[in-house]
Amino acid sequence: MTIRVIGGELKGRKLVTVPGIETRPTADRVRESIFNILGGVVQGKHVVDLYACTGAMGIEGLSRGAQFVLFADNQKTALAALAKNLKTCLLESRSETIAWNIFGNLDILHSYRPSFDLVFLDPPYNKDMIEPTLAHLGSIQCLANGARLVVEHSPLEPIPANQPGFDLADQRGYGKTLVSFLFYML
């Protein structure tokens, strides 16, 4: 599968993917739709790309003017592909990558300042990872008030309705992918 940067200064740049079927990179048309919905919100933002895999979402954000992206994943093959993509796109100075078990906790994010304005969250489908990840994000106070979250998930795994601090603003379906847009309010 070939994926490309859809817009911004790196438009058309090919990205390395992870071999095999364990990962599921965000399809180009889904990424394009997400960034069309976000519009200029990405400009100048501090972003965290959780369950980053190839980094396609965060790299798209950097291409469209994000100031900084922190990529987090714990799979070695994903981290290797991500490192190649950041190097090829010359984005190493505007990003950082951490190998971290996101599902376990997100305590490491507490040390990053300024707080994150935008979160891309794309956990493995149907593994019940959304609720604990949102709970971790809310408890460690790493998000700016009004931060936006973009969650890619299976329609079979809905966004929890009673997650303190998070308000569901919109949802869009793209085949087997549901994209939920949330706001974080302190």
Side-chain angles (χ1 to χ4, degrees):
M1 172 195 277
T2 301
I3 58 174
R4 298 176 186 271
V5 178
I6 301 301
E9 64 187 51
L10 299 170
K11 182 178 180 175
R13 183 77 51 103
K14 288 183 183 179
L15 300 176
V16 173
T17 59
V18 177
I21 58 170
E22 274 188 42
T23 61
R24 172 199 36 76
T26 303
D28 289 355
R29 77 176 180 90
V30 175
R31 247 181 310 110
E32 182 175 27
S33 295
I34 289 169
F35 281 92
N36 284 343
I37 291 165
L38 290 173
V41 166
V42 178
Q43 195 75 18
K45 299 298 187 211
H46 283 80
V47 180
V48 62
D49 187 349
L50 300 175
Y51 306 98
C53 192
T54 62
M57 291 299 293
I59 290 170
E60 191 76 41
L62 288 166
S63 180
R64 293 171 185 249
Q67 185 173 348
F68 172 81
V69 176
L70 175 67
F71 296 91
D73 206 305
N74 68 345
Q75 292 184 354
K76 289 181 182 179
T77 55
L79 291 167
L82 173 58
K84 285 180 187 176
N85 288 333
L86 291 173
K87 185 173 184 173
T88 300
C89 295
L90 304 175
L91 295 173
E92 296 155 308
S93 66
R94 294 173 47 206
S95 64
E96 187 175 333
T97 302
I98 54 173
W100 195 262
N101 179 355
I102 298 156
F103 183 68
N105 70 60
L106 287 168
D107 294 345
I108 195 167
L109 298 184
H110 185 61
S111 63
Y112 285 86
R113 292 291 172 246
S115 299
F116 295 103
D117 308 295
L118 180 60
V119 178
F120 296 118
L121 176 62
D122 187 9
Y125 283 11
N126 301 315
K127 302 284 185 186
D128 296 321
M129 297 174 129
I130 296 170
E131 186 170 4
T133 303
L134 290 176
H136 291 313
L137 282 170
S139 71
I140 60 169
Q141 301 173 353
C142 67
L143 301 177
N145 191 35
R148 295 174 189 233
L149 291 84
V150 178
V151 184
E152 291 179 62
H153 57 102
S154 163
L156 302 174
E157 187 176 8
I159 297 294
N162 59 348
Q163 197 71 41
F166 296 97
D167 291 319
L168 181 62
D170 193 6
Q171 285 187 320
R172 308 284 175 103
Y174 304 94
K176 295 180 181 179
T177 298
L178 190 60
V179 179
S180 297
F181 297 85
L182 293 85
F183 283 102
Y184 176 74
M185 304 306 270
L186 296 173

